[in-house]
Protein backbone atom coordinates (compact mmCIF):
# COMPACT_ATOMS: atom_id res chain seq x y z
CA UNK A 1 0.00 0.00 0.00
CA UNK A 2 2.83 2.42 0.85
CA UNK A 3 4.55 1.70 -2.48
CA UNK A 4 1.30 2.26 -4.39
CA UNK A 5 0.82 5.57 -2.57
CA UNK A 6 4.29 6.80 -3.54
CA UNK A 7 3.87 5.94 -7.21
CA UNK A 8 1.28 8.61 -7.96
CA UNK A 9 0.23 9.07 -11.56
CA UNK A 10 -3.05 8.89 -13.42
CA UNK A 11 -4.39 5.75 -11.74
CA UNK A 12 -3.02 6.31 -8.22
CA UNK A 13 -6.45 6.38 -6.60
CA UNK A 14 -7.62 3.40 -8.63
CA UNK A 15 -4.58 1.33 -7.63
CA UNK A 16 -5.15 1.98 -3.92
CA UNK A 17 -8.86 1.31 -4.33
CA UNK A 18 -8.15 -2.07 -5.91
CA UNK A 19 -5.53 -2.91 -3.30
CA UNK A 20 -7.92 -2.40 -0.39
CA UNK A 21 -10.83 -3.89 -2.36
CA UNK A 22 -9.17 -7.29 -2.27
CA UNK A 23 -10.75 -9.42 0.41
CA UNK A 24 -7.38 -11.07 1.08
CA UNK A 25 -5.57 -7.72 1.50
CA UNK A 26 -4.33 -8.29 5.03
CA UNK A 27 -1.73 -5.50 5.07
CA UNK A 28 -3.71 -2.68 6.66
CA UNK A 29 -0.74 -1.01 8.33
CA UNK A 30 -1.12 2.04 6.11
CA UNK A 31 -4.71 2.68 7.23
CA UNK A 32 -5.08 5.62 9.64
CA UNK A 33 -6.73 4.59 12.91
CA UNK A 34 -8.10 7.61 14.75
CA UNK A 35 -8.53 5.58 17.93
CA UNK A 36 -4.71 5.43 18.07
CA UNK A 37 -3.79 8.77 16.47
CA UNK A 38 -0.27 9.53 15.34
CA UNK A 39 1.72 10.64 12.32
CA UNK A 40 -0.35 13.02 10.21
CA UNK A 41 -3.24 13.07 12.71
CA UNK A 42 -3.69 16.09 14.99
CA UNK A 43 -6.32 17.14 17.51
CA UNK A 44 -9.00 19.37 16.02
CA UNK A 45 -10.61 22.20 17.98
CA UNK A 46 -14.40 22.29 18.17
CA UNK A 47 -16.81 25.14 18.88
CA UNK A 48 -17.87 23.93 22.32
CA UNK A 49 -20.01 26.98 23.11
CA UNK A 50 -22.09 26.56 19.93
CA UNK A 51 -23.98 23.50 21.23
CA UNK A 52 -25.46 23.39 24.72
CA UNK A 53 -25.10 20.17 26.67
CA UNK A 54 -28.91 19.94 26.68
CA UNK A 55 -29.11 20.11 22.88
CA UNK A 56 -26.33 17.54 22.59
CA UNK A 57 -28.24 15.22 24.94
CA UNK A 58 -31.45 15.78 22.94
CA UNK A 59 -29.61 14.58 19.83
CA UNK A 60 -28.23 11.55 21.67
CA UNK A 61 -24.71 12.98 21.83
CA UNK A 62 -22.18 13.49 24.61
CA UNK A 63 -21.39 17.11 25.55
CA UNK A 64 -19.17 18.57 22.83
CA UNK A 65 -16.42 19.16 25.42
CA UNK A 66 -16.03 15.38 25.64
CA UNK A 67 -15.77 14.70 21.90
CA UNK A 68 -12.49 13.51 20.42
CA UNK A 69 -12.07 15.28 17.09
CA UNK A 70 -9.09 15.06 14.76
CA UNK A 71 -7.78 16.55 11.55
CA UNK A 72 -5.35 15.23 8.93
CA UNK A 73 -2.26 17.07 7.72
CA UNK A 74 -2.76 18.08 4.11
CA UNK A 75 -6.56 18.01 4.36
CA UNK A 76 -7.75 21.37 5.72
CA UNK A 77 -11.44 21.33 6.58
CA UNK A 78 -11.55 17.58 7.23
CA UNK A 79 -12.71 16.64 10.74
CA UNK A 80 -13.00 13.11 12.11
CA UNK A 81 -15.03 12.66 15.32
CA UNK A 82 -14.61 9.40 17.21
CA UNK A 83 -18.01 8.02 18.22
CA UNK A 84 -19.57 10.92 20.23
CA UNK A 85 -22.93 9.18 20.77
CA UNK A 86 -24.31 8.54 24.23
CA UNK A 87 -24.55 4.84 25.17
CA UNK A 88 -27.35 3.16 23.25
CA UNK A 89 -28.27 6.15 21.10
CA UNK A 90 -26.79 4.74 17.89
CA UNK A 91 -29.63 2.23 18.01
CA UNK A 92 -32.17 4.96 17.25
CA UNK A 93 -30.46 5.94 13.99
CA UNK A 94 -30.03 2.33 12.89
CA UNK A 95 -33.73 1.67 13.46
CA UNK A 96 -34.69 4.85 11.60
CA UNK A 97 -32.53 3.88 8.63
CA UNK A 98 -34.11 0.43 8.44
CA UNK A 99 -37.70 1.03 9.57
CA UNK A 100 -38.69 4.66 8.99
CA UNK A 101 -36.49 6.41 6.42
CA UNK A 102 -37.06 3.87 3.58
CA UNK A 103 -40.80 4.62 3.72
CA UNK A 104 -42.54 6.75 1.10
CA UNK A 105 -42.32 9.55 0.06
CA UNK A 106 -38.57 8.86 0.31
CA UNK A 107 -36.96 7.13 -2.67
CA UNK A 108 -34.88 3.93 -2.73
CA UNK A 109 -33.16 1.71 -5.28
CA UNK A 110 -35.95 -0.87 -5.09
CA UNK A 111 -38.34 1.66 -6.64
CA UNK A 112 -36.47 1.22 -9.93
CA UNK A 113 -37.85 -2.23 -10.71
CA UNK A 114 -40.70 -2.83 -8.27
CA UNK A 115 -44.26 -1.52 -8.22
CA UNK A 116 -44.92 1.17 -5.58
CA UNK A 117 -47.15 -1.14 -3.54
CA UNK A 118 -44.31 -3.67 -3.34
CA UNK A 119 -41.87 -1.18 -1.79
CA UNK A 120 -44.12 0.02 1.01
CA UNK A 121 -43.32 -1.20 4.50
CA UNK A 122 -40.00 -2.86 3.69
CA UNK A 123 -39.56 -3.38 7.42
CA UNK A 124 -42.85 -5.24 7.81
CA UNK A 125 -42.09 -7.42 4.80
CA UNK A 126 -38.59 -8.28 6.01
CA UNK A 127 -38.49 -8.44 9.81
CA UNK A 128 -39.54 -12.07 10.31
CA UNK A 129 -37.26 -13.29 7.53
CA UNK A 130 -34.34 -11.33 9.01
CA UNK A 131 -35.01 -12.48 12.56
CA UNK A 132 -34.96 -16.14 11.49
CA UNK A 133 -31.97 -15.73 9.19
CA UNK A 134 -29.09 -18.15 9.69
CA UNK A 135 -25.52 -18.02 8.41
CA UNK A 136 -26.12 -19.75 5.08
CA UNK A 137 -25.29 -17.69 2.01
CA UNK A 138 -27.96 -19.56 0.07
CA UNK A 139 -30.94 -18.22 2.00
CA UNK A 140 -33.04 -15.77 -0.02
CA UNK A 141 -32.43 -12.14 0.83
CA UNK A 142 -35.14 -10.02 2.40
CA UNK A 143 -36.12 -6.72 0.79
CA UNK A 144 -34.18 -4.84 3.48
CA UNK A 145 -31.08 -6.80 2.53
CA UNK A 146 -31.61 -5.73 -1.09
CA UNK A 147 -31.74 -2.08 -0.07
CA UNK A 148 -28.73 -0.18 -1.41
CA UNK A 149 -29.67 3.47 -0.99
CA UNK A 150 -32.42 5.80 0.19
CA UNK A 151 -32.63 9.52 -0.59
CA UNK A 152 -34.12 12.10 1.78
CA UNK A 153 -35.17 15.72 1.33
CA UNK A 154 -34.14 16.92 -2.12
CA UNK A 155 -33.83 13.71 -4.13
CA UNK A 156 -30.73 13.46 -6.28
CA UNK A 157 -31.40 13.07 -10.02
CA UNK A 158 -28.99 10.34 -11.09
CA UNK A 159 -29.33 11.15 -14.80
CA UNK A 160 -28.78 14.91 -14.72
CA UNK A 161 -26.62 14.78 -11.54
CA UNK A 162 -28.70 17.62 -10.11
CA UNK A 163 -31.24 18.38 -7.41
CA UNK A 164 -34.48 20.20 -8.22
CA UNK A 165 -37.25 21.99 -6.36
CA UNK A 166 -40.01 19.66 -7.58
CA UNK A 167 -38.45 16.37 -6.49
CA UNK A 168 -38.49 16.80 -2.77
CA UNK A 169 -39.83 15.18 0.40
CA UNK A 170 -39.87 16.56 3.96
CA UNK A 171 -36.48 16.00 5.60
CA UNK A 172 -36.72 13.93 8.83
CA UNK A 173 -36.79 16.32 11.78
CA UNK A 174 -34.76 14.08 14.10
CA UNK A 175 -31.93 13.70 11.59
CA UNK A 176 -32.01 17.42 10.81
CA UNK A 177 -31.58 18.20 14.52
CA UNK A 178 -28.66 15.77 14.89
CA UNK A 179 -26.96 17.21 11.79
CA UNK A 180 -27.42 20.80 12.96
CA UNK A 181 -25.73 20.07 16.30
CA UNK A 182 -22.75 18.31 14.70
CA UNK A 183 -22.32 21.07 12.11
CA UNK A 184 -22.52 23.78 14.79
CA UNK A 185 -19.91 22.00 16.91
CA UNK A 186 -17.61 22.07 13.88
CA UNK A 187 -18.09 25.81 13.38
CA UNK A 188 -21.03 25.79 10.97
CA UNK A 189 -23.91 27.34 12.87
CA UNK A 190 -27.13 27.66 10.89
CA UNK A 191 -26.48 24.50 8.84
CA UNK A 192 -29.67 23.26 7.20
CA UNK A 193 -30.02 19.56 6.49
CA UNK A 194 -31.75 19.58 3.11
CA UNK A 195 -30.69 16.35 1.41
CA UNK A 196 -29.41 13.00 2.54
CA UNK A 197 -28.34 9.72 1.02
CA UNK A 198 -28.34 6.59 3.14
CA UNK A 199 -25.98 3.83 2.04
CA UNK A 200 -26.57 0.20 2.96
CA UNK A 201 -23.37 -1.84 2.65
CA UNK A 202 -22.64 -5.52 3.05
CA UNK A 203 -19.29 -7.28 3.24
CA UNK A 204 -19.14 -7.51 -0.58
CA UNK A 205 -20.05 -3.84 -1.13
CA UNK A 206 -17.95 -0.84 -2.05
CA UNK A 207 -18.56 2.74 -3.16
CA UNK A 208 -16.81 4.10 -6.23
CA UNK A 209 -14.43 7.04 -6.55
CA UNK A 210 -16.34 10.33 -6.79
CA UNK A 211 -16.74 13.94 -5.66
CA UNK A 212 -19.87 15.43 -4.09
CA UNK A 213 -20.33 18.61 -6.12
CA UNK A 214 -24.01 18.66 -7.11
CA UNK A 215 -25.05 20.86 -4.20
CA UNK A 216 -25.37 24.52 -5.16
CA UNK A 217 -23.71 25.71 -1.94
CA UNK A 218 -20.23 24.24 -1.33
CA UNK A 219 -19.54 26.52 1.61
CA UNK A 220 -21.50 24.21 3.89
CA UNK A 221 -20.04 20.89 5.04
CA UNK A 222 -20.84 17.32 4.09
CA UNK A 223 -21.60 15.20 7.18
CA UNK A 224 -21.11 11.43 7.22
CA UNK A 225 -22.36 9.10 9.99
CA UNK A 226 -21.40 5.42 10.18
CA UNK A 227 -23.13 2.55 12.04
CA UNK A 228 -22.57 -1.20 12.28
CA UNK A 229 -19.57 -2.95 10.76
CA UNK A 230 -16.41 -1.01 9.92
CA UNK A 231 -15.01 0.19 6.62
CA UNK A 232 -11.96 1.62 4.92
CA UNK A 233 -12.49 5.15 3.61
CA UNK A 234 -10.16 6.67 1.01
CA UNK A 235 -9.75 10.45 0.91
CA UNK A 236 -7.88 11.79 -2.11
CA UNK A 237 -7.24 15.15 -3.71
CA UNK A 238 -8.81 17.54 -6.18
CA UNK A 239 -7.62 15.33 -9.06
CA UNK A 240 -7.97 11.61 -9.65
CA UNK A 241 -4.21 11.13 -10.06
CA UNK A 242 -3.54 12.13 -6.43
CA UNK A 243 -3.04 9.09 -4.20
CA UNK A 244 -5.57 8.95 -1.32
CA UNK A 245 -5.12 8.47 2.41
CA UNK A 246 -6.83 5.37 3.83
CA UNK A 247 -8.60 5.48 7.20
CA UNK A 248 -10.86 3.26 9.28
CA UNK A 249 -14.46 4.23 10.02
CA UNK A 250 -16.09 2.40 12.91
CA UNK A 251 -19.62 2.41 14.30
CA UNK A 252 -20.60 5.83 15.63
CA UNK A 253 -17.78 7.71 13.91
CA UNK A 254 -18.60 10.97 12.15
CA UNK A 255 -16.70 12.64 9.29
CA UNK A 256 -17.08 16.28 8.30
CA UNK A 257 -15.78 17.44 4.92
CA UNK A 258 -15.65 21.24 4.62
CA UNK A 259 -13.62 23.99 3.00
CA UNK A 260 -10.79 22.59 0.88
CA UNK A 261 -11.82 19.02 1.75
CA UNK A 262 -15.43 19.52 0.65
CA UNK A 263 -14.68 18.74 -3.01
CA UNK A 264 -12.05 16.02 -2.70
CA UNK A 265 -12.30 12.62 -4.36
CA UNK A 266 -13.22 9.83 -1.98
CA UNK A 267 -14.41 6.22 -1.97
CA UNK A 268 -15.15 3.19 0.21
CA UNK A 269 -13.32 0.17 -1.21
CA UNK A 270 -14.14 -2.30 1.51
CA UNK A 271 -16.38 -3.16 4.46
CA UNK A 272 -14.65 -4.96 7.34
CA UNK A 273 -15.82 -6.87 10.41
CA UNK A 274 -15.62 -4.65 13.47
CA UNK A 275 -12.14 -4.90 15.03
CA UNK A 276 -13.42 -6.25 18.36
CA UNK A 277 -14.03 -9.61 16.70
CA UNK A 278 -17.62 -9.78 17.94
CA UNK A 279 -20.79 -10.01 15.85
CA UNK A 280 -21.54 -6.36 16.67
CA UNK A 281 -19.32 -3.61 18.10
CA UNK A 282 -19.75 -3.21 21.86
CA UNK A 283 -21.04 0.37 21.46
CA UNK A 284 -24.28 -1.18 20.16
CA UNK A 285 -24.74 -3.54 23.11
CA UNK A 286 -26.50 -1.08 25.39
CA UNK A 287 -30.00 0.37 25.04
CA UNK A 288 -30.51 4.14 25.50
CA UNK A 289 -31.01 5.48 29.01
CA UNK A 290 -34.56 5.19 30.34
CA UNK A 291 -34.57 8.88 31.35
CA UNK A 292 -34.02 10.70 28.08
CA UNK A 293 -34.16 14.50 28.34
CA UNK A 294 -37.29 16.48 27.52
CA UNK A 295 -37.45 17.11 23.79
CA UNK A 296 -35.06 14.28 22.92
CA UNK A 297 -35.24 13.12 19.32
CA UNK A 298 -34.09 9.66 20.43
CA UNK A 299 -36.82 7.03 20.66
CA UNK A 300 -36.55 3.77 22.55
CA UNK A 301 -36.55 0.69 20.32
CA UNK A 302 -38.49 -2.36 21.38
CA UNK A 303 -36.42 -5.47 22.03
CA UNK A 304 -38.18 -7.04 19.06
CA UNK A 305 -37.21 -4.21 16.72
CA UNK A 306 -33.62 -4.18 17.92
CA UNK A 307 -33.29 -7.95 17.36
CA UNK A 308 -34.10 -7.34 13.69
CA UNK A 309 -31.66 -4.41 13.47
CA UNK A 310 -28.91 -6.39 15.21
CA UNK A 311 -29.33 -9.35 12.87
CA UNK A 312 -29.09 -7.01 9.88
CA UNK A 313 -25.94 -5.30 11.19
CA UNK A 314 -24.08 -8.56 11.75
CA UNK A 315 -23.09 -8.43 8.09
CA UNK A 316 -23.81 -4.82 7.21
CA UNK A 317 -22.86 -1.20 7.62
CA UNK A 318 -25.16 1.82 7.33
CA UNK A 319 -23.89 5.25 6.36
CA UNK A 320 -25.85 8.53 6.39
CA UNK A 321 -24.47 11.47 4.40
CA UNK A 322 -26.20 14.80 4.98
CA UNK A 323 -25.75 18.01 3.07
CA UNK A 324 -27.15 21.50 2.62
CA UNK A 325 -28.05 21.98 -1.04
CA UNK A 326 -28.90 25.70 -1.18
CA UNK A 327 -27.42 28.73 0.51
CA UNK A 328 -29.88 30.78 2.57
CA UNK A 329 -32.21 32.59 0.18
CA UNK A 330 -30.86 30.72 -2.85
CA UNK A 331 -33.20 29.08 -5.36
CA UNK A 332 -32.76 26.41 -7.98
CA UNK A 333 -32.13 27.70 -11.51
CA UNK A 334 -34.97 27.31 -13.97
CA UNK A 335 -34.70 24.10 -15.97
CA UNK A 336 -36.48 23.34 -19.22
CA UNK A 337 -37.44 19.93 -20.50
CA UNK A 338 -36.93 18.00 -17.24
CA UNK A 339 -39.26 17.07 -14.47
CA UNK A 340 -36.49 16.67 -11.95
CA UNK A 341 -37.50 13.12 -11.19
CA UNK A 342 -35.02 11.04 -13.16
CA UNK A 343 -33.77 7.93 -11.44
CA UNK A 344 -30.48 6.14 -11.50
CA UNK A 345 -30.12 3.95 -14.62
CA UNK A 346 -29.39 0.88 -12.51
CA UNK A 347 -29.48 0.08 -8.83
CA UNK A 348 -25.84 -1.01 -8.88
CA UNK A 349 -24.58 2.32 -10.21
CA UNK A 350 -24.45 3.40 -6.61
CA UNK A 351 -22.48 0.48 -5.24
CA UNK A 352 -19.98 -1.93 -6.66
CA UNK A 353 -20.25 -5.46 -5.33
CA UNK A 354 -18.08 -8.53 -5.74
CA UNK A 355 -20.15 -9.73 -8.68
CA UNK A 356 -19.87 -6.47 -10.60
CA UNK A 357 -16.81 -6.18 -12.82
CA UNK A 358 -17.54 -2.61 -13.80
CA UNK A 359 -16.69 0.34 -11.62
CA UNK A 360 -18.60 3.56 -11.84
CA UNK A 361 -17.94 6.89 -10.17
CA UNK A 362 -20.99 8.11 -8.34
CA UNK A 363 -22.31 10.50 -5.74
CA UNK A 364 -22.32 9.59 -2.04
Amino acid sequence: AAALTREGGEDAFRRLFRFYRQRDASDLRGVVDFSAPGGQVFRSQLSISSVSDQDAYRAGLQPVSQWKAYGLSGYPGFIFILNPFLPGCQRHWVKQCLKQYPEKPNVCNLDLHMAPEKTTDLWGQSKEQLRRKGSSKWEPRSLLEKLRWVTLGYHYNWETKKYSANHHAPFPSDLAFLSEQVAAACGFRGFQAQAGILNYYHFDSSLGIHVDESELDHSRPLLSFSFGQSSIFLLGGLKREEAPTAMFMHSGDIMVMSGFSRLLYHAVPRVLPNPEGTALPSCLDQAPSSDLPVGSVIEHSSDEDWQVCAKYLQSSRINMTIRQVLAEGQKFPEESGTNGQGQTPSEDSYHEDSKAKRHKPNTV
Side-chain angles (χ1 to χ4, degrees), residues 144-160:
L144 275 180
E145 291 171 291
K146 295 179 181 179
L147 198 60
R148 293 301 187 94
W149 51 261
V150 169
T151 54
L152 309 173
Y154 288 113
H155 299 294
Y156 184 70
N157 184 318
W158 304 88
E159 294 177 343
T160 65

Side-chain angles (χ1 to χ4, degrees), residues 7 19 54 70 91 161 253 259 279 360 363:
E7 283 183 29
F19 175 82
Q54 184 69 9
Y70 300 95
R91 288 188 175 193
K161 301 188 184 306
D253 291 344
K360 299 182 180 181
T363 297

